[in-house]
Amino acid sequence: MGPDGEAGPRAGSTVISIVLPDRTGGPAGPEKAALGPLSGDGVKMFRERADHRWTGTERRPRSAGITVDQLSITGMALVFNPAAFWLRRAIWLAIIVCLLVWLCVQLRLCVLRLTEGGTVRTWSRRTVADIPLPAVTVCHGNRFKNSVVLRHQPAGAASWPSWHRLGYQTLNWSSFDGLDQFYAEASYGWDDMVFFCMVNGSNCTDVGTLASAPTLLNGLCTTFNTNVTVTRRLVSAQLMLGFHELEPLDEFEHNGWHVYLHPQDVHFNDFLFLSGLTASVKVFGNRLHEVKVFRRVTEALPNGEGKGCSTERDALYAQQQCLGSCMMESMAAGAPPSADQGPPCSVPWVPRTAYPPDTTSCATMEELSAASMDTHQGVDETAFLSWTAECQCAPPCRADQYQLEEHEKWHAEETSIYLSYPEARNATIGAVMLRLSDVEELVTEREAYSADAFISDVGGNLGLMLGGSLLTFVEIVDCVIASCLSRREKRARVKS
């Protein structure tokens, strides 16, 4: 006990007196004497407070302008806390600087991907209950009838092989009144090629319509179109076509039939054929073909891959009109598409609406060569692609195409077709059975790196590296503004 009856230090304990100096710098006065003796526990606590400041969280008073430590970035408050242990602050500062550098690298990569642009395509499939039938265009492989061609060739020089090599040059142009007459007389009609056509057991002419499609490369074709839908078939076909040859052809003179499948709202012509928007089946003589077909729908971006596309409803028709007009100008001048005058005569594979009303059909080989720019024997695919590139005609953004999934064929003698049609036993025939799949393939074009993906990546990197968000940028702006205003007020107070 002390002299005043107070408890004193225990025996063996250490007594430490803490004397605080006077603020004026002089010695401590009596009122500022030792705070009193501390026990061993007190000494231990004092040492922890004085020496181990790693976990210290005390903060010194700061001016209102210093607001950096108020940011929500993890560790920022500790870095700008003067009361924290210096080594701890240094480690956190190094970590934050490294993460900021890495964040800048990631943001630069995101900006580069965004500026590079580009597109990607995704594939998906869906099942439909009611399957729409495609438009079916039938063309003869020989293009023209053998008997008519030989009749209009010069006497003594009639030859089917020479026609295949030289075409219209072998004709006696004085034997017919213009090219239109020969084209109509020598072309194959629907009945000249097809002897049966069935859709789910119904005759094609009862459920659909037939339309002529004059072309340069395939002659006069006929398109069957119907709005009837069919259902899924696993074994049998929904559409069957039978072909026969009525012309007296020698051996190796028959070139079969062509069957083209395309969307119902698209008129078949040479442009559609060369654009690759049709699925084709070559039916050979005395062969039976079974084909499984599926539909592919492609949706492109207006400013996507290539030179863009058109979103108009009749974009494909507009593209064909553009290509037709461009090529007509080229044929008229024999030069790149820039001419203003029309061709000297008309050809049957070009619509009459493309010519002036008083244009007559080509009556001589020279007129045909001038009107067709020497393409009357056919258009080379390379030249067509070149014309397409020069004419700058935008394709449709949405394109429907039919693709062949399976294709099998047999000799007619290996099937029972002669039992169903005995009259075809001594003729050249062919047949095709179309089995339509109930699965549609969707091809969608989208941006390779969209603005939404850019924002998502920026936010993800910001949160991963610094634990921040978009609001962190708002806090930084607020911090800068508050700091500037605080310094401005401080300078104003100093001056006053």
Side-chain angles (χ1 to χ4, degrees):
M1 298 291 291
D4 297 331
E6 296 180 353
R10 292 177 296 178
S13 63
T14 304
V15 179
I16 299 178
S17 297
I18 301 178
V19 180
L20 299 178
D22 185 29
R23 294 186 177 180
T24 60
E31 69 277 8
K32 300 175 183 177
L35 295 180
L38 295 178
S39 63
D41 296 337
V43 173
K44 181 179 180 181
M45 181 181 66
F46 175 78
R47 289 178 176 174
E48 290 178 351
R49 298 279 294 179
D51 299 334
H52 300 280
R53 299 178 59 190
W54 179 273
T55 58
T57 57
E58 297 181 358
R59 297 186 180 181
R60 297 179 182 177
R62 295 173 288 108
S63 62
I66 303 177
T67 57
V68 178
D69 60 345
Q70 297 177 5
L71 296 177
S72 61
I73 298 177
T74 303
M76 190 66 70
L78 181 62
V79 171
F80 287 91
N81 183 10
F85 186 48
W86 69 269
L87 182 58
R88 187 181 180 193
R89 294 171 60 191
I91 292 177
W92 270 100
L93 179 61
I95 293 175
I96 292 176
V97 170
C98 292
L99 292 178
L100 279 174
V101 173
W102 181 253
L103 176 63
C104 292
V105 173
Q106 294 300 316
L107 292 181
R108 179 178 178 273
L109 294 178
C110 292
V111 172
L112 290 177
R113 290 182 61 188
L114 184 65
T115 55
E116 286 177 358
T119 60
V120 295
R121 294 195 173 190
T122 59
W123 274 258
S124 61
R125 290 197 169 192
R126 66 182 179 187
T127 303
V128 295
D130 298 325
I131 308 172
L133 282 174
V136 180
T137 298
V138 179
C139 310
H140 201 286
N142 289 352
R143 293 198 300 166
F144 298 109
K145 298 177 181 178
N146 176 285
S147 58
V148 177
V149 171
L150 296 179
R151 187 169 69 248
H152 288 291
Q153 288 181 334
S159 170
W160 184 248
S162 64
W163 162 260
H164 270 277
R165 292 193 308 270
L166 303 175
Y168 296 99
Q169 301 178 31
T170 64
L171 297 179
N172 179 15
W173 285 78
S174 61
S175 63
F176 50 86
D177 186 15
L179 183 61
D180 287 350
Q181 179 185 351
F182 169 80
Y183 193 90
E185 183 180 351
S187 296
Y188 284 88
W190 177 265
D191 294 333
D192 297 326
M193 297 182 290
V194 180
F195 73 94
F196 80 85
C197 177
M198 308 293 290
V199 177
N200 275 349
S202 301
N203 196 300
C204 291
T205 55
D206 296 335
V207 297
T209 59
L210 300 176
S212 298
T215 67
L216 168 65
L217 302 178
N218 295 281
L220 181 63
C221 305
T222 305
T223 300
F224 166 70
N225 212 335
T226 179
N227 293 327
V228 174
T229 59
V230 295
T231 57
R232 179 187 182 190
R233 296 284 185 89
L234 297 178
V235 179
S236 59
Q238 297 101 328
L239 175 62
M240 294 185 293
L241 289 165
F243 306 98
H244 61 175
E245 181 58 64
L246 301 179
E247 284 293 305
L249 297 176
D250 293 335
E251 191 176 6
F252 307 120
E253 290 185 349
H254 188 268
N255 198 28
W257 303 268
H258 297 281
V259 178
Y260 299 102
L261 308 177
H262 53 90
Q264 297 180 1
D265 57 345
V266 177
H267 181 70
F268 183 83
N269 51 33
D270 292 310
F271 301 116
L272 186 71
F273 171 69
L274 291 173
S275 298
L277 298 178
T278 63
S280 62
V281 180
K282 178 66 177 291
V283 181
F284 297 94
N286 297 323
R287 297 291 191 277
L288 180 64
H289 299 253
E290 182 176 0
V291 181
K292 184 178 181 181
V293 182
F294 73 93
R295 183 186 180 198
R296 173 182 294 169
V297 180
T298 303
E299 295 183 355
L301 294 175
N303 297 320
E305 184 179 357
K307 299 181 180 180
C309 57
S310 174
T311 58
E312 298 295 331
R313 185 175 181 180
D314 57 346
L316 182 59
Y317 176 77
Q319 181 198 21
Q320 294 180 358
Q321 290 293 103
C322 173
L323 291 174
S325 300
C326 186
M327 294 178 66
M328 287 292 294
E329 293 176 358
S330 180
M331 287 188 295
S338 59
D340 296 328
Q341 63 181 11
C345 62
S346 64
V347 292
W349 49 85
V350 176
R352 294 292 301 181
T353 56
Y355 297 99
D358 57 346
T359 304
T360 59
S361 176
C362 296
T364 64
M365 187 63 209
E366 291 74 16
E367 291 182 357
L368 176 60
S369 297
S372 62
M373 203 176 67
D374 292 328
T375 61
H376 50 83
Q377 281 293 91
V379 176
D380 182 73
E381 186 174 1
T382 303
F384 174 79
L385 294 177
S386 176
W387 265 321
T388 303
E390 294 177 0
C391 292
Q392 301 294 324
C393 300
C397 291
R398 178 186 172 92
D400 294 357
Q401 295 177 268
Y402 288 90
Q403 304 289 330
L404 305 183
E405 190 172 2
E406 298 176 5
H407 188 182
E408 299 180 3
K409 55 186 177 181
W410 304 270
H411 289 278
E413 294 81 0
E414 299 174 346
T415 67
S416 60
I417 189 172
Y418 291 130
L419 297 179
S420 301
Y421 302 95
E423 65 277 8
R425 186 177 297 273
N426 297 324
T428 301
I429 65 169
V432 58
M433 300 184 295
L434 298 178
R435 185 156 50 92
L436 303 176
S437 174
D438 61 337
V439 177
E440 290 185 352
E441 186 178 86
L442 304 178
V443 182
T444 306
E445 184 182 37
R446 60 179 178 84
E447 295 178 351
Y449 194 66
S450 62
D452 293 339
F454 172 75
I455 295 175
S456 177
D457 287 347
V458 170
N461 283 303
L462 185 62
L464 177 63
M465 301 302 168
L466 301 178
S469 64
L470 293 179
L471 291 178
T472 305
F473 291 106
V474 179
E475 290 180 331
I476 294 175
V477 174
D478 177 72
C479 176
V480 173
I481 294 175
S483 180
C484 293
L485 293 177
S486 176
R487 291 182 180 181
R488 185 176 180 181
E489 292 177 358
K490 185 176 180 180
R491 291 173 183 174
R493 286 196 301 268
V494 171
K495 291 181 180 181
S496 62

